[in-house]
Amino acid sequence: NYELAFRMQMQVPELLDLSNETEQTRALYGIGQDATDAFGRKCLLARKLIEKGVRCVQLYNGSWDSHDYIERAHGNLVRGVDQPIAALITDLKQRGLLESTLIVWCGEFGRTPVINGTGGRDHYPNAWSAVLAGGGIKGGQTWGRTSADGMKVDDGLASPGDLLATLCAALGLDPNQQNISDVGRPFKLADGKPIKGILA
């Protein structure tokens, strides 16, 4: 851990400099385009960190927790994520890093499938989605299906615990492994079952 922390501190100034990336790579991530520039820079930085051996990278993208005026609140957010996420997956694949990198793209909560009285969408735990790609995941498929109105899951119901257990399995970890907390309380890595149909 100390060695990894030292390497990160020594390499961060170089990693943060995106000027040494080709114009083609910068364009791939949408850098220089208004809608995608900020998140594109984060995704490119994530690729550079992964290349240098950083084992866990988390990206944050704006505030999606909008209960009103959804078009105004989410318009630029939506336009700003598709290209950079696709670029990150493409770039990692071209560099031979996708199979050893697990990408998890999700929020912390579902949203109502209908617009509320103030033009927004509220918290909704009955149906939500996540995008998984890369290491340990069988790509090119969808899992689960909601009803036509989006109000309930008709097929492939999975809990947040099932998602976490799936991530553990994709990483080669036993989700049922018992650990002991710092106060002596036993707990498993994940309270759920891996979704075997999406594991490679």
Side-chain angles (χ1 to χ4, degrees):
N1 287 338
Y2 283 124
E3 179 185 349
L4 181 60
F6 173 77
R7 282 190 334 193
M8 287 175 61
Q9 289 177 27
M10 294 305 293
Q11 294 171 354
V12 159
E14 170 196 334
L15 288 173
L16 293 177
D17 181 10
L18 302 183
S19 65
N20 58 358
E21 297 291 332
T22 66
E23 282 302 317
Q24 181 181 5
T25 298
R26 292 163 61 83
L28 177 69
Y29 283 88
I31 295 172
Q33 301 172 20
D34 288 344
T36 58
D37 187 79
F39 194 60
R41 287 177 183 275
K42 291 178 184 179
C43 286
L44 179 51
L45 180 58
R47 188 268 287 162
K48 292 178 70 151
L49 289 167
I50 291 164
E51 267 187 317
K52 289 293 185 182
V54 176
R55 297 177 67 183
C56 182
V57 179
Q58 179 179 347
L59 304 180
Y60 175 75
N61 180 245
S63 176
W64 295 81
D65 192 14
S66 301
H67 295 266
D68 53 12
Y69 309 111
I70 195 165
E71 178 56 37
R72 183 178 69 201
H74 285 186
N76 281 333
L77 286 172
V78 170
R79 287 185 287 277
V81 295
D82 284 350
Q83 181 179 344
I85 287 288
L88 178 60
I89 293 170
T90 300
D91 202 5
L92 289 172
K93 186 171 184 177
Q94 289 172 347
R95 293 167 188 271
L97 295 168
L98 185 59
E99 286 190 14
S100 61
T101 304
L102 175 60
I103 295 174
V104 182
W105 181 22
C106 66
E108 85 291 4
F109 220 87
R111 309 298 291 192
T112 50
V114 295
I115 302 297
N116 65 22
T118 57
R121 296 169 67 200
D122 297 315
H123 296 168
Y124 194 69
N126 296 342
W128 58 286
S129 60
V131 175
L132 307 179
I137 299 298
K138 192 187 306 177
Q141 65 172 334
T142 58
W143 178 266
R145 182 182 68 244
T146 61
S147 55
D149 61 7
M151 297 300 287
K152 64 185 180 68
V153 177
D154 276 350
D155 184 47
L157 179 66
S159 70
D162 293 337
L163 174 62
L164 184 56
T166 304
L167 301 181
C168 287
L171 293 170
L173 303 171
D174 177 4
N176 293 311
Q177 178 182 327
Q178 289 285 340
N179 295 283
I180 303 297
S181 73
D182 58 351
V183 294
R185 182 179 147 245
F187 66 95
K188 294 192 295 187
L189 288 181
D191 256 338
K193 295 181 180 177
I195 307 165
K196 293 184 179 176
I198 66 173
L199 292 170

